[in-house]
Amino acid sequence: MKLRRLQVEQLRQFRQPFVMDDLQPGLNLIHGPNESGKSTLVRAIRAAFFERYRTSSVDDLRPWGDSAAAPTITLDFDARQKSWHLVKSFLQRKRCDLTIDSTSYSEDEAEEKLSELLGFQFSAKGVSKPEHWGVPGLLWVEQGTGQNIEQAVEHAGDHLKSALNSLVGEVASTGGDELVEQVKARWSELFTPTGKPRGDYQKLEKEREEHQREIDGLQARIQKYQEQVDRLGKLTHDYERTRQERPWEEAERQLEQAKERYRQVEKLEQQQAQEKEILKHLQSRQQLLRQNQEQLESLNRKLDVRKAELEKAQRALEQAEARSPSVANSVQEAKSAYEAAAKKVEQARLQETRSRLEQDVQRLDQQNRTLTQNLEKARQYQQELEKAREQARQNQIDVKALKALKDTERQLKEENIRSQTIATRLTWQLEPDARLALNGEPLEEQGERQLLEDSSLLIPGVGTLGITPGGEDLASTRRRLSTLEQSLTEQMKTLGVDYVQQAEHRVMAYEAAERTLQHTRELLKSVAPVNVEQLLADEKETGARLQAAKSELQNSPAPEPGQHARATDVASAEAGRARAETRLAEAEAEERKHQTELLTRRQSRDNAKAEWQQLQDEVHSPEHQKQLQNLSTELADIDDKMGRLAATLKAREQEIQEARPAILKQDIERYQRSISTLRQAQEERQRELRDIQVRLEAWGAEGLEEQRNERVAELEQCNRRYQELHRRARALDLLLNLLTEKRQALTRRLQAPLQKHLDHYLSLLFPQATLEVDEHLRPGTFTRGTELGQIAELSFGAREQMGLISRLAYADLLQEAGRPTLVIMDDTLVHSDTDRLEDMKRILFDAANRHQILLFTCHPEKWSDLGVAPRDIQAMKEQGSTNPV
Amino acid sequence: MPRFLHTADWQMGRAFSRFETEDGAALVEARFEAIEKLARLANEHRCDAILVAGDVFDAQTVADRTIRRVFNATRGFTGPWVMLPGNHDAALAESVWTRARRLGAVPDNIHLALEPGTINLEPQGLAILCAPLTQRNTYSDLTATFNSCETPEGLVRIGLAHGSVQGLLPDEIDSTNPILPNRAETARLDYFALGDWHGTKQIDERTWYSGTPEPERFRNNGAGYALIINLSGPGELPAVTPVETARYQWHQWRQTLTVESDLDQLLERLQALPEPSVLDLRLDGSVTLAGEERLINALSVAEARFRSIQCDRSGLQLEPTDDDIAALKADGYVGEVIEHLRTQQQNDDAEAARDALAVLAGLLKERKQEISE
């Protein structure tokens, strides 16, 4: 389908006719800023096709405020090798006129042609909605809806499928999907979603088992009942027979016989036991006599033994007695050795004490001497200290005053010098006997004087000469000089010196005394650290201790001279004594042991002697001899009796053996048991008979078999119902599987062409990626490398791109099926980045080879490299206004 | 001129498991009614006695209520009844009979032949030689003692036994409880009343199986009768008259449908059947969708008419004609499914395929109706 020309008038902002012609078969890029009428043109195309001309629900087409307007759209396009001219007016003039080549259609008929051509439906009432849009809904992308493809595909579904059908030559079933749903619903009544029986189907299965269990239970009881009936029959028979035969009576007779035989044997056994007792008695008597005889005979042997024992004891005693002196000796020796060792220890201790005291005396003496010396020195130092202190006191002088004195002296000297220079000099050289007196003072021979004051020179004989010194400062100098002299005199007086040098001497003397004082103090401290009194006390104490030590030494006993001159030390002496003590103890122990042994042996000898004596007396008595003789006579008699008795016993023993008493006893037991068993068996039968009868009566009352029959009937009903459901279940299962399978097979065949077109575009956008078409012919699973997911999970931009390529794929598919295609895009791909947009341009350019594409945008700069000249709505408007149609 | 009624195999206490509960109950009830009917017939025919040749009860342990109801049902006839234990109700040490006695359910006019021997009904002129089963199964001929059994002069000798006459009955009847075919002759019996075979059957001129008075299975045609025996005197031949007693007729039909007219025929036969019928129908062959619809309608009508009708159609294939399929508007893959199911009916899982096809056809038809509405 190729749109050639579009004209709108009285439609929204296009109050005046607006024409867009020369539309190209491929790409058409139409741009204009916002509000310029881009979307209005898109809306106009939609309205021309989708909205019924007679609808009143298209008020949005009306120019604002113009209630008399008849929005009119005129379209010229080629489709199906024919030229189509459509004029559609709404609202005030409701009309639709369609001319195909030279054939004209109008009103509803015209609209039917349009919907049939493009594949959409009209709204039954009101404005057209997305669900009516069909194929154009898929190919005409409204602003901002490029990514929402699922709904659009669904609305175009039937048209797509029919296109696919014609392409693949398959026929999709009419309402087949609905049928599948119905079968599925019926299947779901019997099965859970996982294919397990549910509801009645499941319940019946359980019920069947329950019935079967009940029947089995009843059957088991019936079996038991029948067994009991059989048992009852047999028991009754046995009981009656036994009652008549009385089998225990024969056993009783045999028992009596066995008992009689056993009584006879018992009698024999009694006799035998008695005689055995006698024999036993004789045997013990014989044994006793023999023992007596033996005992008597043994006395002689015992006597010899005792004799030997006595001799042995005697010998032992003698040996011990012989050892006595040597034992005593060794004790004596050990004792004296011990005493010597003890003495040695005492001496060693004495020696040790004395040497310690001597050392003490020596040490204290030394100490005492040192202290005495120190004391003397201390006294001497103390005197020196006093002397130095006195020296210091005498020469003490104020150092500042001294310094002032010196200054005064220096100023005086300077002043003197100055006065000399300004003073009037008077020199004289007198004749040897000339006399002169200056100011009353006679002058002699020659000299010179500096005169500062008015002076009178008396020349005897001559008179008196007055001299008045001239010069400016003479008077002030004279005053200063006198002031300084006065001050000097005063200062010297204060210091107590006659001249300045004397003061300096005193300073030096003071300092020397101070040094001496310091030195002497140090010396004193070296001999008397605390003070002299303490030193004195120390000396006294040391002296006392020395005295004490000396007297102690005097009093201590002197070691015995000569003996042990070089006494051993105490420790080794002690060790020697300990050894001697040990030896002494050993010797004493040995002696005690010896004494004990001696006593013991003496006792043994005495005992042995007494025993021997006693036995000696006994053996040789006449009674003893007589006893021995009696015993041998008695023994012979007993031997004889025993021989006879043994013969009798042996004979009778054989007799008893032959009668087999043990077996006889067993016989008796056997017969007794048989009788009681037989009787018990019969009683048991009687009891069991009663029991069974009672039991059978109870069980019979339950009507077990009839119950079972009823249960079997129930089970069979259950089974029948189950079989019905089971058959239905199997049928539904089979049907559902078949339908699903065939439907899937069909879908797969239908998907193939669409997939081919989709792959074509996808490879341009995402090489290596795959996008699968699902059973509803919607793009489904998307894979790219390791990514796997649904389109809905992608970013908005990617979804929009996917949406667009899918739409182009549908367009290809439709075209391939001979359907008209027109792609309209209103400001799409605004969310694509530059690279993707580049790819999308290639895709659009490629698609434009097959389809007419109207691309409306307000960003013409983005599409400048699309290979087509952009058309400006604004410009077209102006052009239109200058060239009114 | 003794006259008596011969019946057997009442099988009281039997449940009819293959039927729906309601139908089963009705069939059980019919058996009690049959006893009442026997009593009525005995009165109508002025019988002297009623002989029951075994299997009065279906089992030893039937409910007390069943026992009481059985004896209650005999009240209509106050003359002597002689009841013989059969293989289902053998006279064991403990049996349904001993229980009946303990319950005090047995009226005085009913003689229980629990031991072998003769029951003399002198007022009625009958000497009844009884061979009751005293064990569940017997492999010797219990009637052998009849030969040496003497009966009072002037009484007709009637044998009463339960078992299989050797060599005469079909093999499928088990060979336990054998009976010599010419026992009537060897034991000099005037009439030999037998039970065990559920259809009425004559063995020789003096020997008869009465059959069960109310049919209870589809085999054994000839069930549902009692016999009235007239004996003019000892040594005379008996006059035997079968009298119908059945309430329900049991039918079992096996039919193959191949052409359209087969179905017509079947429906006509169904139409002709009387209402108190129990029908077991098994169909095979094939039927068109339209035919199936007719069949289902007819069965639905029959269900309401008859006591019970059971129809097994699992062997009957559905063969939709091209017209059928066109009528269903099954195009596309649904058409493929139909074709697949048609083919599969020839294979192993024919039943499922047939059912699936039926379901599918049903759904398509519903849709068609919806559309046409």
Side-chain angles (χ1 to χ4, degrees), chain A residues 759-788:
Chain A
D759 290 347
H760 169 72
Y761 292 114
L762 189 67
S763 67
L764 288 172
L765 189 62
F766 299 118
Q768 317 301 331
T770 64
L771 178 60
E772 277 171 23
V773 177
D774 72 7
E775 56 180 321
H776 301 294
L777 300 175
R778 287 185 309 218
T781 317
F782 174 71
T783 59
R784 181 170 50 179
T786 53
E787 287 176 64
L788 175 72

Side-chain angles (χ1 to χ4, degrees), chain B residues 10-85:
Chain B
W10 293 355
Q11 312 289 148
M12 303 310 294
R14 168 163 293 191
F16 293 92
S17 54
R18 56 178 297 161
F19 302 103
E20 293 304 318
T21 317
E22 184 198 334
D23 296 335
L27 293 170
V28 167
E29 213 47 47
R31 304 193 80 70
F32 284 105
E33 284 164 18
I35 300 173
E36 287 163 4
K37 186 163 190 178
L38 290 170
R40 217 160 45 238
L41 282 172
N43 287 331
E44 278 169 21
H45 290 87
R46 293 185 306 284
C47 289
D48 300 309
I50 297 179
L51 307 188
V52 192
D55 283 357
V56 170
F57 293 99
D58 191 52
Q60 296 285 10
T61 47
V62 294
D64 286 355
R65 182 163 182 270
T66 306
I67 295 175
R68 290 185 199 279
R69 286 193 65 192
V70 165
F71 288 107
N72 286 349
T74 61
R75 277 186 195 149
F77 181 72
T78 51
W81 296 65
V82 178
M83 292 187 181
L84 182 83

Side-chain angles (χ1 to χ4, degrees), chain A residues 381-410:
Chain A
Y381 293 147
Q382 220 162 13
Q383 279 170 8
E384 282 171 20
L385 202 59
E386 282 307 312
K387 226 156 82 189
R389 220 172 257 153
E390 180 59 32
Q391 197 81 28
R393 196 167 41 78
Q394 283 171 0
N395 292 312
Q396 205 161 16
I397 196 162
D398 189 347
V399 181
K400 268 190 209 150
L402 182 58
K403 199 166 177 260
L405 180 64
K406 273 172 147 181
D407 280 350
T408 313
E409 191 191 25
R410 186 178 41 78

Side-chain angles (χ1 to χ4, degrees), chain A residues 170-180 182-183 186 222 225-226 229-230 232-233 236 696-697 699-701 703-706 709-710 712-713 716-717 720 727-728 730-732 734-735 738-739 742-743 746 749, chain B residues 13-21 58-64 66 92-95 99 102 136 310 312-314 331-334 336-337 340-341 344 349 351-356 359-360 363-364 366-367 370:
Chain A
E170 287 282 354
V171 182
S173 178
T174 318
D177 292 0
E178 191 191 334
L179 193 69
V180 174
Q182 283 175 334
V183 173
R186 280 160 176 71
I222 290 164
Y225 176 86
Q226 288 176 349
V229 171
D230 292 348
L232 184 69
T236 315
L696 286 177
E697 280 172 25
W699 289 358
L704 291 171
E705 279 164 293
E706 195 169 340
N709 290 346
E710 282 164 13
V712 169
E716 285 196 16
Q717 269 162 24
R720 276 197 299 277
R727 275 181 64 173
R728 186 170 166 77
R730 284 199 331 142
L732 283 171
L734 175 66
L735 188 56
L738 265 176
L739 282 168
K742 297 284 184 195
R743 188 178 177 286
L746 176 70
R749 285 198 297 277
Chain B
R14 168 163 293 191
F16 293 92
S17 54
R18 56 178 297 161
F19 302 103
E20 293 304 318
T21 317
D58 191 52
Q60 296 285 10
T61 47
V62 294
D64 286 355
T66 306
L92 306 176
E94 167 74 14
S95 67
R99 272 181 55 225
R102 264 205 309 279
R136 272 185 209 93
Q310 289 176 320
D312 177 5
R313 288 182 290 138
S314 56
D331 51 359
Y333 64 87
V334 176
E336 283 177 40
V337 169
H340 186 104
L341 290 172
Q344 200 179 329
D349 209 3
E351 189 186 83
R354 182 209 177 281
D355 292 345
V359 170
L360 184 56
L363 286 173
L364 288 170
E366 270 173 37
R367 193 180 65 180
E370 276 167 27

Side-chain angles (χ1 to χ4, degrees), chain A residues 738-755:
Chain A
L738 265 176
L739 282 168
T740 314
E741 193 183 296
K742 297 284 184 195
R743 188 178 177 286
Q744 277 171 354
L746 176 70
T747 308
R748 274 196 298 278
R749 285 198 297 277
L750 290 180
Q751 281 161 353
L754 179 59
Q755 187 73 53

Side-chain angles (χ1 to χ4, degrees), chain B residues 284-359:
Chain B
D284 48 28
S286 65
V287 70
T288 63
L289 288 184
E292 164 109 340
E293 203 181 326
R294 281 178 66 208
L295 179 63
I296 288 169
N297 276 335
L299 288 175
S300 172
V301 170
E303 258 172 33
R305 267 185 70 211
F306 302 142
R307 174 72 267 162
S308 164
I309 178 162
Q310 289 176 320
C311 182
D312 177 5
R313 288 182 290 138
S314 56
L316 185 66
Q317 290 184 8
L318 271 184
E319 279 298 333
T321 59
D322 293 343
D323 291 345
D324 282 337
I325 291 171
L328 291 176
K329 289 197 174 165
D331 51 359
Y333 64 87
V334 176
E336 283 177 40
V337 169
I338 291 179
E339 195 47 47
H340 186 104
L341 290 172
R342 268 167 85 171
T343 324
Q344 200 179 329
Q345 281 189 100
Q346 319 294 332
N347 302 339
D348 300 341
D349 209 3
E351 189 186 83
R354 182 209 177 281
D355 292 345
L357 192 55
V359 170

Side-chain angles (χ1 to χ4, degrees), chain A residues 210-264:
Chain A
E210 265 167 41
H211 284 311
Q212 191 57 55
R213 232 188 343 268
E214 271 180 50
I215 289 166
D216 290 348
L218 282 167
Q219 187 58 48
R221 292 190 61 198
I222 290 164
Q223 180 80 29
K224 197 136 181 231
Y225 176 86
Q226 288 176 349
E227 279 165 13
Q228 292 280 304
V229 171
D230 292 348
R231 176 83 186 138
L232 184 69
K234 184 175 181 301
L235 271 177
T236 315
H237 181 254
D238 289 355
Y239 179 77
E240 284 305 318
R241 204 188 60 203
T242 312
R243 203 164 58 83
Q244 282 164 13
E245 287 175 1
R246 305 179 68 77
W248 51 84
E249 282 176 359
E250 170 63 16
E252 276 167 355
R253 202 174 44 73
Q254 283 173 326
L255 175 67
E256 267 321 299
Q257 284 177 3
K259 271 185 178 165
E260 179 53 34
R261 276 204 300 279
Y262 189 67
R263 269 197 292 278
Q264 287 168 4

